[in-house]
Amino acid sequence: MKMLSLLFLAALYAQSAYTQVYQTKNGYLGFFSKTPLEDVRAESHQVYGVINLGDHSLSVACLVKGFLFSKALMQEHFNENYVESDKFPRASFSGKYSGGADSAKNGIYPVRVAGQLTLHGITRPIDVPGSVEVTSGKVTCAASFSLLPGDFNISIPSLVRDKIAKQIDVHIILECYAK
């Protein structure tokens, strides 16, 4: 019986050493809008992400109210007037990446991420460049891209239209550990 227990523990250890699924509950998601009148920056460290190196899938979700702004009034307007976070509390992405990332070999792997992004109740396809970095027991996914608020039916009132860029720059970093 003791030998059977040792074999089971050894098999469990071997499986965990070659795991393909990594996750985080505190990823980073930030966006930036630059205009001559005002810069708008918001960040969230409450981003849940899962990457599966086996099937190249990637899922990300965050609570929209988790974004923090430098000015409380910006945060209030963002949640109440623009993204209507009480009505649409989550933003999410689900898709796949192309390009290889070997969990057994440390390195930075350029990838292309394609899937469905849901924001403000609207789901749209997205295809952006990114990277997957593998380092001893950790997988870090990163991507930077731009979005148009109008693509997600986010309307900007004419009173502040000159203070918010037509194109919003987005940056995401997910430091994931074996599940």
Side-chain angles (χ1 to χ4, degrees):
M1 185 67 171
K2 189 175 184 180
M3 182 58 121
L4 187 59
S5 295
L6 286 174
L7 284 172
F8 176 74
L9 287 174
L12 188 61
Y13 175 76
Q15 181 181 7
S16 68
Y18 295 105
T19 189
Q20 297 288 308
V21 179
Y22 296 80
Q23 71 178 3
T24 185
K25 293 181 181 174
N26 57 359
Y28 169 85
L29 180 57
F31 64 86
F32 182 68
S33 160
K34 181 170 185 62
T35 68
L37 297 177
E38 189 161 29
D39 292 347
V40 177
R41 181 182 311 272
E43 299 178 333
S44 176
H45 291 277
Q46 300 175 353
V47 180
Y48 180 75
V50 177
I51 183 171
N52 185 326
L53 297 180
D55 68 3
H56 292 209
S57 64
L58 178 65
S59 296
V60 180
C62 75
L63 291 176
V64 178
K65 281 190 178 180
F67 283 102
L68 300 175
F69 292 72
S70 59
K71 296 178 183 176
L73 190 57
M74 282 183 184
Q75 190 164 326
E76 183 180 325
H77 288 171
F78 172 78
N79 283 301
E80 292 178 7
N81 303 332
Y82 306 134
V83 296
E84 302 171 283
S85 58
D86 285 336
K87 188 175 179 181
F88 306 106
R90 289 184 47 199
S92 63
F93 170 83
S94 182
K96 295 218 175 228
Y97 68 90
S98 59
D102 185 350
S103 64
K105 185 177 177 186
N106 289 348
I108 299 174
Y109 303 90
V111 296
R112 189 103 196 143
V113 181
Q116 300 294 314
L117 176 64
T118 301
L119 174 64
H120 196 241
I122 304 296
T123 301
R124 301 203 32 112
I126 187 170
D127 186 337
V128 298
S131 66
V132 173
E133 180 178 5
V134 177
T135 54
S136 306
K138 178 174 76 170
V139 173
T140 303
C141 306
S144 294
F145 53 95
S146 296
L147 296 176
L148 302 174
D151 286 350
F152 295 91
N153 286 349
I154 298 171
S155 57
I156 310 299
S158 59
L159 183 63
V160 293
R161 195 165 287 143
D162 292 338
K163 293 183 178 183
I164 299 173
K166 292 180 182 6
Q167 185 170 299
I168 308 298
D169 297 325
V170 179
H171 188 65
I172 185 166
I173 302 172
L174 304 172
E175 289 186 359
C176 300
Y177 296 89
K179 192 171 177 184

